């Protein structure tokens, strides 16, 4: 048996090590026990990676104007288009829009081509939507985009403050590390600052449900409080920082009294003061922040206000202390390292600095280099809409779903003269507008590196052949470069050659001036690169020492950056930034009285092109939904379980209403993932306010004024079917892949004359087919099931109301080769004769354990802990992502019994 391949998870910024073992029946996936990010753990998404590797839906050949073709024709078409536009309108009329899914090597080549050879800085990335505010805050404070903390610091901290981060769902393995640390050291305090009561609150000692957008008031208040309590580190401030006085004056003027801050932030004064007290008294504090901070029109200031508190107390660059921006995407940090954003140069150098431009241009030997930033994501699509950018290459991202005001992005692409999209999938909302579609190699098919949230560079390794004509993205950009006349500078034969060039550039004219230095990796041999162990930067070359031949290179200084009070402004000092609080741009009014907040859910990733292929992952939350406070639902006249419209000034969508209990008043939450492949009308990006942060260009995904209204339909229902089903008659639909079937949730306004005729045609049941049906004209209920050779082929359930049978038991029947007589009897009720056969909706994706099974076990055995449930049912014992839900179920049950 061959050894599994050591690679890295392609989803979130935790960057877990994965062992991939190709077998005859697929690829076995497990956690890499040697990887320092996860030590063998994987979350539900990582565990299900093996289910996402099939070739269904893949783009396998280049396509020009809708016609399959070869690489030469496609790349010639792209090169001619780019050449023509540059000749007629200049270099700034073309652009690349790339992705945090890129490997560092892809990013490096695309950035080098655009900035060094085409001569524009018009390359931006979907990381702009994810962590660009944190990057701006880092640069303002430290002089360089440096994350000064690692995951190990979380485990030795005495206080962890989680701000705007549903860590339990969005960075589950980091969350599990925190849970473990708290189990081992119950004195470790956890504070969650988030308007929603998310599953992350499960481990919180304090939850501050602040009013959305008031973070700067809250942290200015903390800064003022720390000074009032004498908690500042005067020696550190004097020796290593500048600007404290100005920041303190602003903090004091805007948030000098705890009661006033509590009112502004909408939290209880004693809870706020308890948090301030904890922070003041604890030396080892990590403040971990994520999209709730970054995705805001004042995201940079929010980050700065957090960093100010760490600078004031000197709690930075020390073990167990520091501000920790955790990235959303697998290689958001790698993209920053190569300068893959419109306002950056390569290797953490600055476009604005002539000496940095000289260093990079000399190193590349390039004909030109821009001296001003290019267009950030939002401005880029605006420029396409206005006709200023006429040719764009979009790679590994789906902006027609993920950008704010996404309908305008779609309109922009419709107008664009040349849209090139490289992607591994054949169809998505953005590819629908591509003149040229280029097939990209996917995870497991290509080689390269990624950098996770804690600066750890890990290898992604291939373990599958690239199918069809698919190629790595770096190869495609090199081929374009050759056709533009820059072949010599882009003659790379492998990811290894690109990586070592990137490492050499990081050390060029550095000498300690920049924290990002991986010069120790520049002299790796190809074999050493192949075997490279995870390594955290900085990784400066030890003077006079070439590569040792070891898997981990000889480092001059592996200490954390910013330790010893060394920062990267020219004077070596950190900067306090005076942060004047500003509310979100959108204003609530009678027409739009609610705040729309968007984000991730536990088992999906971005626009679902990969996670949407996994039945396990789709079974957790299979439909687009809007979560709302029950009182607001009452006021809006909408009911749980029904379809509703969510409406903003920019767009509208349809989703199922739920009231999870997580939402505060006047806020709704909609997941970001659904797209036109998975639902008729559920792209939440189309609704999002296009307001952006003035420093970072990051959009305000957490605050769009909205309203919710009933979505009136005449009938609703669901279809489970082995074959694809045409949905032309449905006004609304969503689809989720299951184990050997697809699940369609449907609703319509036009009532067919005869449901039976309609259903037989839809489900492909010929006359004489094995067909069971039930129809009640008085109530409008219709149900039918189609069997072939005793196997369930499809079933449909319709009603004027959402009072439909549960889907879980019916779904499981598709795995049976023949329906038993006893189960036939239950087919049209959707309920088995033996009630215990209905496991209920999936809670634990890893082992397919359903809600009903867990409830029965709690009742039967009197379980009071998640561990007891795990011992009996295995739920929660693999990735642990469902542990907060298990605990919530235990609480519900205990409350019901009391
Ligand atoms: S936490 Fe989950 S999604 Fe994130 S890298 Fe680890 S396994 Fe992948």
């Amino acid at each position: 048996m061959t050894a599994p391949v050591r690679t890295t998870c392609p989803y979130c910024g935790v960057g877990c090590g994965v062992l991939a073992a190709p077998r005859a029946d697929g690829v076995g996936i497990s956690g890499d026990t040697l990887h320092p990010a996860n030590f063998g753990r994987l979350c539900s998404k990582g565990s299900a990676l093996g289910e996402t590797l099939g070739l269904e839906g893949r783009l396998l050949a280049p396509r020009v104007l809708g016609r399959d073709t070869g690489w030469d024709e496609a790349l010639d078409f792209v090169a001619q288009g780019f050449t023509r536009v540059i000749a007629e309108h200049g270099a700034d009329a073309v652009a690349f829009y790339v992705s945090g899914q890129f490997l560092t090597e892809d990013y490096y080549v695309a950035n080098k081509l655009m900035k060094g050879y085409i001569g524009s800085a018009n390359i931006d990335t979907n990381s702009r939507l994810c962590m660009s505010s944190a990057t701006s805050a880092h640069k303002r404070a430290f002089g360089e985009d440096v994350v000064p903390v690692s995951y190990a610091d979380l485990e030795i901290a005495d206080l962890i403050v989680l701000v705007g981060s549903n860590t339990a769902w969005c960075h589950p393995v980091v969350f599990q590390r925190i849970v473990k640390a708290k189990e081992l050291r119950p004195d470790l305090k956890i504070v969650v600052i988030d308007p929603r009561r998310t599953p992350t609150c499960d481990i919180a000692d304090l939850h501050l449900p602040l009013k959305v957008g008031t973070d700067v008031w809250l942290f200015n208040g903390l800064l003022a409080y720390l000074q009032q309590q004498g908690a500042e580190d005067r020696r550190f401030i004097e020796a290593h920082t500048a600007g404290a006085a100005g920041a303190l004056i602003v903090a004091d003027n805007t948030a000098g009294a705890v009661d006033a801050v509590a009112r502004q932030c909408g939290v209880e004064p004693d809870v706020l003061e308890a948090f301030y007290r904890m922070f003041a008294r604890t030396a080892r504090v990590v403040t971990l922040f994520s999209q709730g901070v970054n995705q805001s029109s004042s995201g940079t200031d929010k980050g700065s206000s957090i960093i100010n508190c760490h600078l004031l107390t000197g709690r930075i660059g020390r073990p167990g202390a520091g501000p920790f921006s955790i990235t959303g995407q697998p290689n958001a940090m790698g993209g920053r390292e190569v300068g893959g954003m419109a306002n950056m140069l390569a290797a953490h150098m600055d476009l604005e600095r002539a000496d940095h431009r000289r260093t990079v241009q000399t190193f590349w030997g390039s004909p030109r280099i821009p001296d001003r930033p290019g267009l950030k994501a939002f401005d880029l699509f605006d420029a396409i809409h206005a006709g200023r950018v006429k040719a764009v290459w979009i790679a590994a991202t789906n902006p027609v779903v993920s950008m704010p005001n996404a309908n305008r992005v779609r309109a922009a692409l419709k107008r664009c003269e040349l849209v090139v999209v490289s992607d591994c999938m054949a169809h998505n909302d953005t590819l629908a507008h591509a003149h040229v579609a280029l097939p990209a190699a996917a995870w497991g098919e290509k080689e390269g590196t990624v950098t996770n949230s804690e600066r750890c560079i890990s290898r992604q390794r291939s373990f599958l052949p690239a199918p069809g004509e698919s190629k790595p993205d770096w190869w495609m950009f090199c081929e374009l470069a050759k056709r533009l006349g820059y072949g010599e500078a882009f003659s790379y034969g492998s990811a290894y050659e690109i990586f070592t060039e990137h490492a050499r550039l990081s050390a060029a004219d550095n000498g300690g001036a920049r924290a990002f230095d991986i010069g120790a990796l520049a002299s790796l041999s190809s074999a050493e690169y192949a075997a490279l162990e995870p390594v955290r930067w900085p990784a400066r070359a030890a003077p006079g020492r070439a590569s040792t031949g070891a898997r981990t290179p000889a480092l001059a200084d592996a200490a954390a950056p910013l330790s010893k009070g060394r920062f990267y402004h020219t004077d070596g000092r950190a900067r306090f930034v005076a942060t004047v609080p500003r509310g979100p741009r959108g204003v609530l009014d009678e027409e739009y009285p609610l705040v729309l907040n968007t984000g991730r859910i536990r088992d999906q990733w971005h626009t679902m092109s990969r996670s949407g292929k996994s039945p396990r992952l789709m079974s957790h939350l299979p439909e687009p939904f809007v979560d709302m406070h029950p009182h607001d639902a009452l006021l809006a006249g909408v009911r749980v379980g029904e379809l509703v419209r969510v409406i903003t000034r920019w767009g509208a969508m349809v989703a199922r209403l739920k009231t999870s209990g997580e939402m505060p008043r006047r806020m709704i939450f909609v997941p970001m993932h659904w797209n036109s492949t998975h639902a008729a009308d559920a792209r939440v990006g189309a609704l999002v306010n296009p307001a952006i942060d003035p420093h970072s260009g990051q959009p305000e995904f957490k605050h769009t004024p909205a309203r919710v209204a009933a979505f009136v339909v005449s009938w609703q229902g669901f279809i489970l079917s082995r074959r694809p089903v045409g949905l032309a008659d449905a006004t609304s639909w969503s689809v989720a892949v299951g184990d050997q079937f697809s699940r369609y949730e449907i609703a319509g306004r036009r009532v067919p004359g005869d449901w039976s005729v309609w259903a037989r045609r839809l489900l492909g049941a010929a006359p004489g087919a094995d067909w069971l049906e039930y129809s009640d004209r008085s109530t409008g209920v219709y149900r039918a099931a189609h069997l072939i050779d005793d196997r369930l082929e499809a079933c449909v359930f319709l009603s004027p109301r959402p009072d439909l049978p549960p889907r879980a038991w019916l779904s499981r029947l598709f795995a049976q080769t023949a329906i038993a007589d006893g189960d036939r009897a239950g087919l049209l009720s959707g309920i088995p004769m033996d009630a215990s056969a209905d496991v209920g909706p999936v809670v634990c994706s890893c082992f397919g354990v359903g809600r009903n099974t867990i409830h029965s076990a709690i009742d039967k055995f009197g379980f009071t802990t998640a561990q007891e449930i795990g011992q009996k049912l295995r739920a929660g014992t693999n990735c642990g992502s469902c542990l907060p839900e298990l605990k919530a179920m235990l609480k519900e049950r205990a409350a019901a019994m009391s």
Side-chain angles (χ1 to χ4, degrees), residues 283-302:
R284 292 187 168 200
V285 184
V286 175
T287 308
L288 181 149
F289 61 100
S290 188
Q291 315 307 17
V293 169
N294 296 334
Q295 291 182 329
S296 160
S297 60
S298 56
T300 304
D301 282 349
K302 290 181 180 181

Side-chain angles (χ1 to χ4, degrees), residues 1 8 52 101 120 130 141 177 256 304 344 377 417-418 470 525 552 573 598-599 618 638 711 721 772 798 878 893:
M1 205 172 75
T8 315
T52 67
Q101 310 287 304
S120 168
C130 165
R177 288 181 69 160
S304 292
M344 296 173 164
E417 288 179 19
L418 176 59
S470 61
S525 68
T552 303
R573 288 171 174 268
T598 69
M618 285 306 294
V638 291
F711 182 72
S721 173
L772 311 176
L798 303 168
N878 183 39
R893 240 20 189 191

